Amino acid sequence: MIPDRLESNLRQGFRESLLPKLGLVLLASILIMAIFAPVLATHNPTRTGYLDENGNSYPPLGTSYTTEIGQDGEFVEVEVESTSDHLLGTNDIGQDVFSRLVYGARTSMLVGLLGTGLAVLIGVPFGLVSGYYGGRVDDVMMRIADTMLAFPSLVLALALIGVFGSAGFGIPDPLTRFGLIDGMPESTTLPGTVTVVVALVTWVWFARVARGEAMSVRNEEYVTAARSMGASNWTILFKHVLPNSLTPVIVLATIQVAAVILLESSLSFLGFSGTTLSWGYDISRGQGYQRTSWWISMVPGLGIVFAVIAVNLLGDWLRDALDPNIEGEGGGA
Amino acid sequence: MSIGKFLVKRLLQGVLVIWGVITIMFALRAVSPGDPANLIVGPAADPEIRDQVREQYGLNEPIYVQYVDYVQGMITGDFGYSFQSSREVTAMVLERVPATLELAIAATIIAIVIAVPLGVISASRRNEPADYGATLFSLLGISTPNFWLGLMLILLFAVFLQDPMETYLGFTFPQGRRPVGFGEAVMTLVTTGYAGDLLTWVRHIMLPAITLGTYFTAMITRLTRSGMIDEFGKPYVTATEAKGIPYVLIRYKHVLRNTMIPIITVLGLQLGTLIGGAVITETVFNWPGLGDRLIQALNARDWPLMQGIIVFIALGFVLINIAVDALYATLDPRVTNE
Amino acid sequence: MTDTDDILRVNDLSTRFFTEQGQVNAVDELELRIERGEVFGIVGESGSGKSVTARSVIDLIDAPGEIIDGEIWFDDAELAETVREDAPDAVDGSFVDLLSVSPAVRQSLRGTSFSMIFQDPESSFNPSLTVGEQLAEAVEVQRRASANPRSTKAKTDSAEYSFGNLLLSTVLPSQQFVTEESRERAIELLELVGIPDPVERADEYPHEYSGGMLQRAMIAQALAGEPDVLIADEPTTALDVTIQAQILDLLDDLQTETGMTILLITHNLGVVARMCDRVGVMYAGEIVERGTLEDVFDDHVHPYTEGLLGSIPELGGANGQLEPIGGNVPSLLDHEMEDRCHFADRCPMAMEDCLDHPPEFDAAGSEAHTVRCVLATQSYTEREALPPNYFGDTERPAGDKHAEPAHSDGEQPAERTRTTISDSGGESR
Ligand code: SF4
């Protein structure tokens, strides 16, 4: 699937630079976090009420903060100390921030991978057909793609969620289901609508890349030869054109995972997600509390930053080695 | 192809795209579950009133009639009435445009002013500390969600810099109005010589603009760096060196210029990201722009308002991209001659 | 120094490329003398180091390449005077060693003392500036230099190149670095090289020119600084057969007219025969045979020269890659080069003595005729011949030209080792 020459480029890029290694390590850690969330989490991430006797959130280990507590109409300043029980403190309603960080990785990775995969499944066939047939078919299909591009992806995503609502459904978690771990959620919620929606708003980029590849091989000798041997268009598309476009699609997909993670977090930040166990949602929880409980929004944000950096580093590595000329959409939301 | 023909072609394509956007929005509403009348008067309303409302908003017509009406309305600039406030959508959109435009332009300016020099330095001092710094910055910049960045900036100013909230933060903008817009502030400065309004404006827009601009700064830095490195490798650079042109001149007049030409197109395509970013930045900073209004409309399931805003955004996107193409065509002599 | 009227004396020049695969000895202890006003040809296959030699002379070796050793003495009394104060060691009579002067001085010689024309005119012009503009730019270099002779400051630190101006030049149609006179001179130059309607053509972009016209424009551009030495690197290779002859005629006329010295790099012996006074045949970073045109064509000794001549294309004949001799393109990788005649593995007359690196022997013919081959001193005997397959079957396919990584003839420069998808499209089938 990946030709030898590209493979050696990949190796060389990996050997020469620290960045792909860093990306790989980061991504591996985040994936481990996502998969073994029930093992790594110290508390049930959905359980509330881990607050001190005055109802204050705990700060991260080693820090403290001062807040005011009203007693009999009078306010007194109290110092809230951290506790070793809650490494990264607790949020406004007393959920363990570290455990939520760990579980948030699941949502991010699930949506990032599934959403991108779905976008590939929609975009690549679309682009291949458009580029391979060319002519009027291509014109019509490209106008459709242009139309999709005229929507900012976040805006279109919001519109779609506005229509379909944001449903999530539970995926049972084998670790807890079979009683290996106690006290953790029995299933993980996959924000289904969000996953579909991010695919619906990002597939166009795959269509563009696949179309370009299909156009470039359409008149190649081996395709013409296959055609003259009586191969049907579909056979040619799948046997010859598709494999040829895989490399750039893989590169783009990697880059797009980053964009999708950002998109998902934006949607859940705005409250349009099917799950509350999400980094974006947690950031929005901390929104009113920056002055005192800064960690509530800072910690999940760092989770996003690291996840996106990891994916971007790998994406850069692949892009440099395989194809320097791919544009995808930024995830800047 | 002359540049005129080229533009006409792009314009026609743009019209098609806008029609597509309008149609998609209409289709979305049509498949949207729930009776829109409920949204206007509430589910508990008297059926008669409800019928009246349905009549008034044309909700009883067959779907294709509604579609034709709808498209007609769009063409004449009539986006209908908001379900929620019964105000004209067009007015509700237009009053929010300046704030968003100011934010987007400020962010873009910040991005270009910082990113281009940074990219140039990075490319010309390859593998030196300055390059590593710029690369790290751009990696962080493209990987940071801007709503989080906004919150962290607020944290930085409010907590660590001990900034009295009033200077940069905590504006509530009652009734969604900023105390002063850019136009007014400039007018005041010109007519009365009073610069205070303009300063207020700068204070208000500073953090949102930085928040929105960071991603683009990072992206343009990357593009400039890699573009210049590619460009430096081209034979004409050697040929230009051979004829004795000083290095500085090669770098700017030749290489940077040729690097910026394709970047302009990429920026046009990334405009969607800018607008998406603006939506969310506005929510974080309560910036009374289109995005802020869009979120309100979504939460209230106010379809006409939502459609109006989205179609308007798409229109802006298409027009700006045509402008970008035109700019590209004038900068790159090969485009119109092919 | 001898009393011949040399303009350029290159001693011991070694240029290396430090690449992934190892150190590449693109040019190895090369000696070269070029007389004022002559046309000197360097001929060889791709990867023989001829292009790198030319670029070393004009100082266009980019990383990962580096001139690691040698001297390039250039005869210019005026320059010698100015350099003498700062770097007395770099001056010998009226000669200046270009490898011992400051980079700024070297840079200042480009365009005015040395100038170069390249193989592919289409990629050698900036696509987004008009041809006239680019010529005028080159004229400007000369104008500045003569306004303030030999002051390198005048060319590089001029106040006009302020940061703001430079930034503006990226956006505005760049007028500000070029004067009206330079523009007029550019048009004259276009006329000089035989471009019809030069006034109109000056305002056209490179893509609006044909290949031949553009090569003329490039020659005009190279003449803008009235250089003493013009380096022509495969000036006709990328052109149509009929155009090739025209371009050579043009070069010939211009040379007669201006009396400039031309260093002509080519793989085409037809071009050499047509243009040159003296020739050096290059192989594996060395000149293996040199002499007058007659020496090399009629009295040649080296089997490689023989091979080249055996496959000489008619001028205007085959324009393809010259592969005159069977066997492998030599590896210039330091660790693969042995201390023997580098041609031995392809040489039909390789003998035991060839396993010692031969020095340059004098050969019959003119005084200047030398050859780096044992056949100059002994004749071929079957008895001493190396057995066939002596060098094993280390097949190095002719396509594997890491030999001359930067700017081999007709190849991408080495920096662009990244593979693009379209390049590799064929492999993923
Ligand atoms: S030295 Fe020997 S091997 Fe080399 S060219 Fe001469 S005869 Fe051939």
Side-chain angles (χ1 to χ4, degrees):
Chain A
M1 195 164 64
I2 292 180
D4 292 347
R5 194 147 98 217
L6 305 189
E7 198 184 303
S8 81
N9 276 356
L10 278 176
R11 280 181 204 289
Q12 184 184 333
F14 196 80
R15 224 179 322 115
E16 279 179 359
S17 170
L18 190 69
L19 296 177
K21 295 178 196 123
L22 184 68
L24 214 60
V25 168
L26 269 178
L27 190 69
S29 340
I30 291 168
L31 280 174
I32 288 172
M33 237 160 84
I35 295 167
F36 298 106
V39 185
L40 293 169
T42 50
H43 299 79
N44 185 326
T46 53
R47 210 188 119 184
T48 57
Y50 295 116
L51 300 165
D52 77 352
E53 66 274 17
N54 295 316
N56 291 311
S57 334
Y58 292 110
L61 200 61
T63 62
S64 62
Y65 68 106
T66 318
T67 186
E68 290 173 343
I69 299 295
Q71 275 171 334
D72 312 326
E74 266 183 67
F75 283 95
V76 287
E77 293 208 332
V78 291
E79 177 103 338
V80 185
E81 289 291 339
S82 59
T83 146
S84 60
D85 215 24
H86 300 284
L87 286 175
L88 296 176
T90 58
N91 69 10
D92 56 323
I93 52 171
Q95 293 166 323
D96 183 64
V97 171
F98 174 74
S99 304
R100 292 185 68 81
L101 175 72
V102 170
Y103 266 88
R106 276 199 168 179
T107 311
S108 256
M109 289 293 131
L110 269 178
V111 177
L113 297 177
L114 290 180
T116 308
L118 204 55
V120 170
L121 290 183
I122 304 170
V124 170
F126 188 96
L128 287 182
V129 168
S130 181
Y132 180 73
Y133 285 94
R136 194 148 302 168
V137 178
D138 185 43
D139 277 348
V140 171
M141 292 177 90
M142 277 301 109
R143 286 298 85 72
I144 294 177
D146 283 353
T147 308
M148 297 303 293
L149 280 176
F151 290 102
S153 55
L154 178 69
V155 171
L156 181 59
L158 286 171
L160 287 169
I161 292 178
V163 174
F164 299 110
S166 48
F169 51 89
I171 302 172
D173 183 337
L175 287 170
T176 47
R177 205 27 88 76
F178 298 122
L180 298 171
I181 305 279
D182 275 340
M184 290 292 159
E186 296 234 318
S187 64
T188 304
T189 310
L190 170 74
T193 324
V194 170
T195 308
V196 175
V197 161
V198 293
L200 286 179
V201 301
T202 54
W203 63 268
V204 186
W205 299 96
F206 292 100
R208 286 164 62 103
V209 166
R211 170 176 178 263
E213 291 300 314
M215 277 171 52
S216 73
V217 299
R218 185 173 58 191
N219 294 321
E220 294 265 332
E221 229 166 85
Y222 68 102
V223 171
T224 334
R227 207 179 290 138
S228 66
M229 308 248 303
S232 77
N233 281 333
W234 287 106
T235 322
I236 294 173
L237 267 177
F238 277 91
K239 272 185 125 162
H240 301 290
V241 185
L242 177 68
N244 203 46
S245 65
L246 274 182
T247 320
V249 165
I250 290 169
V251 177
L252 180 62
T254 317
I255 301 168
Q256 283 298 108
V257 169
V260 167
I261 290 175
L262 282 173
L263 193 56
E264 184 275 333
S265 67
S266 303
L267 289 171
S268 43
F269 174 77
L270 292 171
F272 297 96
S273 177
T275 175
T276 59
L277 253 182
S278 152
W279 288 336
Y281 175 82
D282 280 355
I283 292 174
S284 73
R285 279 225 82 92
Q287 211 182 346
Y289 302 93
Q290 285 106 1
R291 302 182 123 240
T292 50
S293 316
W294 46 268
W295 60 92
I296 301 180
S297 50
M298 188 189 277
V299 170
L302 288 174
I304 300 175
V305 172
F306 282 121
V308 176
I309 284 183
V311 176
N312 275 333
L313 286 176
L314 292 180
D316 288 349
W317 169 49
L318 292 179
R319 171 160 54 182
D320 287 348
L322 303 180
D323 183 0
N325 301 317
I326 283 186
E327 293 160 21
E329 181 185 36
Chain B
M1 203 190 320
S2 75
I3 195 153
K5 254 189 189 164
F6 175 76
L7 280 185
V8 168
K9 190 177 150 211
R10 291 291 288 116
L11 225 57
L12 284 176
Q13 284 176 358
V15 169
L16 268 178
V17 166
I18 292 298
W19 172 69
V21 169
I22 291 173
T23 306
I24 290 178
M25 288 314 295
F26 181 84
L28 281 181
R29 171 157 73 159
V31 300
S32 163
D35 181 355
N38 280 344
L39 299 170
I40 306 167
V41 289
D46 190 348
E48 255 177 55
I49 296 179
R50 211 190 284 202
D51 278 347
Q52 217 179 310
V53 164
R54 298 181 65 87
E55 191 69 35
Q56 188 189 333
Y57 282 87
L59 296 172
N60 285 333
E61 304 282 354
I63 192 91
Y64 61 89
V65 176
Q66 286 190 39
Y67 176 69
V68 171
D69 278 356
Y70 183 75
V71 174
Q72 259 174 4
M74 292 283 170
I75 292 169
T76 55
D78 171 14
F79 286 50
Y81 291 85
S82 158
F83 282 168
Q84 229 195 351
S85 66
S86 310
R87 291 179 59 208
E88 256 192 76
V89 167
T90 315
M92 292 180 78
V93 171
L94 288 181
E95 72 189 14
R96 288 298 185 99
V97 170
T100 298
L101 218 53
E102 284 168 26
L103 179 60
I105 291 174
T108 311
I109 290 174
I110 290 178
I112 290 174
V113 166
I114 298 176
V116 172
L118 208 57
V120 172
I121 292 169
S122 201
S124 15
R125 313 226 166 125
R126 234 177 135 182
N127 298 329
E128 286 177 32
D131 181 26
Y132 291 133
T135 309
L136 182 69
F137 162 77
S138 46
L139 181 64
L140 282 174
I142 58 162
S143 305
T144 306
N146 68 7
F147 53 93
W148 183 72
L149 178 66
L151 290 177
M152 290 303 110
L153 283 176
I154 293 174
L155 176 68
L156 181 75
F157 275 71
V159 181
F160 295 119
L161 299 184
Q162 295 293 320
D163 171 64
M165 286 295 250
E166 293 73 35
T167 319
Y168 296 107
L169 307 164
F171 313 119
T172 46
F173 302 126
Q175 281 95 46
R177 274 213 188 81
R178 294 176 299 158
V180 59
F182 181 69
E184 295 163 57
V186 168
M187 277 310 286
T188 319
L189 181 66
V190 171
T191 51
T192 68
Y194 173 65
D197 277 2
L198 197 59
L199 273 176
T200 313
W201 178 83
V202 170
R203 285 209 325 260
H204 287 190
I205 206 164
M206 202 178 82
L207 289 188
I210 292 176
T211 302
L212 182 56
T214 300
Y215 174 79
F216 288 90
T217 313
M219 200 185 66
I220 299 173
T221 306
R222 289 187 131 205
L223 290 175
T224 309
R225 176 183 186 272
S226 62
M228 279 189 82
I229 288 173
D230 273 3
E231 204 68 25
F232 267 123
K234 291 190 178 169
Y236 80 82
V237 174
T238 315
T240 314
E241 264 182 88
K243 65 184 185 185
I245 306 297
Y247 192 66
V248 265
L249 204 54
I250 297 178
R251 187 191 301 163
Y252 292 98
K253 182 175 165 182
H254 292 268
V255 171
L256 181 59
R257 189 184 140 99
N258 286 358
T259 306
M260 292 322 281
I261 294 171
I263 289 182
I264 289 169
T265 348
V266 179
L267 285 188
L269 276 175
Q270 294 284 351
L271 200 67
T273 319
L274 181 70
I275 297 170
V279 170
I280 201 154
T281 306
E282 287 174 9
T283 340
V284 173
F285 288 94
N286 297 315
W287 188 258
L290 271 183
D292 182 55
R293 183 142 277 175
L294 175 67
I295 300 295
Q296 289 167 11
L298 276 165
N299 280 322
R301 306 189 125 247
D302 190 340
W303 271 101
L305 183 55
M306 189 176 107
Q307 279 168 330
I309 294 172
I310 291 177
V311 170
F312 189 85
I313 288 175
L315 188 68
F317 181 89
V318 167
L319 286 179
I320 293 176
N321 263 299
I322 291 175
V324 164
D325 284 349
L327 187 62
Y328 186 89
T330 51
L331 283 179
D332 188 340
R334 285 164 298 184
V335 174
T336 44
N337 276 288
E338 261 161 24
Chain C
M1 302 251 163
T2 54
D3 49 57
T4 52
D5 188 14
D6 287 345
I7 188 167
L8 207 58
R9 292 175 184 163
V10 177
N11 297 335
D12 258 352
L13 178 73
S14 293
T15 304
R16 306 266 180 273
F17 285 80
F18 300 94
T19 68
E20 269 291 292
Q21 294 92 348
Q23 175 188 324
V24 177
N25 302 338
V27 176
D28 200 23
E29 296 179 11
L30 184 113
E31 307 277 331
L32 199 60
R33 256 150 218 249
I34 299 178
E35 279 176 36
R36 190 177 293 279
E38 76 169 336
V39 179
F40 191 96
I42 296 183
V43 66
E45 296 167 292
S46 307
S48 57
K50 57 190 193 301
S51 241
V52 177
T53 306
R55 281 164 196 253
S56 300
V57 170
I58 196 177
D59 188 26
L60 284 177
I61 299 291
D62 292 327
E66 206 185 315
I67 300 174
I68 59 149
D69 199 15
E71 295 157 356
I72 298 177
W73 293 95
F74 174 58
D75 180 23
D76 184 334
E78 209 184 316
L79 177 68
E81 239 10 82
T82 30
V83 172
R84 199 184 300 277
E85 294 157 34
D86 301 338
D89 289 351
V91 180
D92 180 357
S94 61
F95 278 82
V96 178
D97 177 16
L98 301 179
L99 297 182
S100 310
V101 298
S102 72
V105 172
R106 268 215 99 174
Q107 200 268 332
S108 75
L109 297 176
R110 278 194 224 132
T112 53
S113 296
F114 297 94
S115 176
M116 185 157 175
I117 54 180
F118 297 84
Q119 173 176 352
D120 180 7
E122 259 131 78
S123 62
S124 300
F125 276 96
N126 182 339
S128 54
L129 294 177
T130 61
V131 172
E133 168 81 21
Q134 297 185 56
L135 258 68
E137 237 183 17
V139 174
E140 199 80 355
V141 171
Q142 168 73 359
R143 199 183 59 85
R144 277 169 212 271
S146 46
N148 196 346
R150 291 297 167 225
S151 162
T152 50
K153 279 242 180 294
K155 282 172 63 188
T156 46
D157 284 358
S158 163
E160 285 168 70
Y161 300 150
S162 72
F163 187 70
N165 273 349
L166 288 166
L167 271 190
L168 276 181
S169 74
T170 66
V171 192
L172 299 174
S174 35
Q175 306 281 324
Q176 61 262 61
F177 300 121
V178 174
T179 60
E180 235 2 89
E181 297 99 78
S182 302
R183 264 170 226 289
E184 277 158 25
R185 175 74 184 135
I187 292 170
E188 281 172 35
L189 284 165
L190 286 176
E191 198 168 9
L192 179 71
V193 297
I195 289 180
D197 305 323
V199 179
E200 289 83 55
R201 304 291 323 233
D203 287 334
E204 290 180 10
Y205 290 92
H207 71 267
E208 294 171 81
Y209 278 61
S210 68
M213 280 296 148
L214 209 53
Q215 192 60 296
R216 281 173 190 267
M218 181 142 63
I219 292 170
Q221 178 174 270
L223 294 178
E226 293 164 13
D228 303 315
V229 179
L230 176 69
I231 297 168
D233 187 356
E234 302 274 7
T236 58
T237 309
L239 301 176
D240 279 353
V241 176
T242 43
I243 312 288
Q244 289 188 8
Q246 293 175 15
I247 294 291
L248 291 176
D249 281 342
L250 175 67
L251 275 175
D252 214 11
D253 292 349
L254 291 169
Q255 201 264 338
T256 325
E257 221 168 284
T258 62
M260 64 184 168
T261 312
I262 296 182
L263 174 57
L264 182 74
I265 310 295
T266 182
H267 66 258
N268 188 332
L269 273 166
V271 173
V272 171
R274 164 90 179 63
M275 295 287 295
C276 297
D277 303 313
R278 289 193 301 149
V279 199
V281 179
M282 254 188 113
Y283 189 81
E286 295 173 328
I287 291 189
V288 291
E289 181 153 21
R290 74 176 89 212
T292 61
L293 213 49
E294 294 76 41
D295 294 336
V296 171
F297 276 75
D298 304 333
D299 284 335
H300 53 82
V301 176
H302 204 288
Y304 178 64
T305 315
E306 171 83 42
L308 282 179
L309 285 164
S311 64
I312 183 170
E314 284 300 301
L315 175 54
N319 188 26
Q321 198 77 25
L322 188 63
E323 292 285 0
I325 299 128
N328 306 322
V329 173
S331 165
L332 297 184
L333 281 170
D334 190 52
H335 59 85
E336 284 181 19
M337 281 175 101
E338 289 158 53
D339 192 23
R340 55 160 162 89
C341 169
H342 299 312
F343 189 60
D345 57 346
R346 292 165 77 184
C347 183
M349 303 198 223
M351 293 176 288
E352 272 155 32
D353 283 356
C354 306
L355 297 177
D356 284 332
H357 192 201
E360 286 201 60
F361 297 107
D362 280 331
S366 84
E367 211 180 303
H369 190 194
T370 66
V371 67
R372 210 180 255 283
C373 172
V374 295
L375 293 179
T377 56
Q378 63 186 88
S379 45
Y380 179 68
T381 48
E382 200 75 43
R383 200 161 41 82
E384 285 180 46
L386 292 172
N389 282 341
Y390 176 82
F391 295 102
D393 279 330
T394 48
E395 263 313 300
R396 194 180 309 109
D400 179 21
K401 295 195 188 93
H402 52 107
E404 189 178 353
H407 322 295
S408 303
D409 320 308
E411 280 178 85
Q412 294 278 335
E415 296 87 82
R416 306 193 55 79
T417 47
R418 287 194 305 191
T419 318
T420 62
I421 292 298
S422 49
D423 283 339
S424 60
E427 295 188 11
S428 54
R429 283 165 212 172

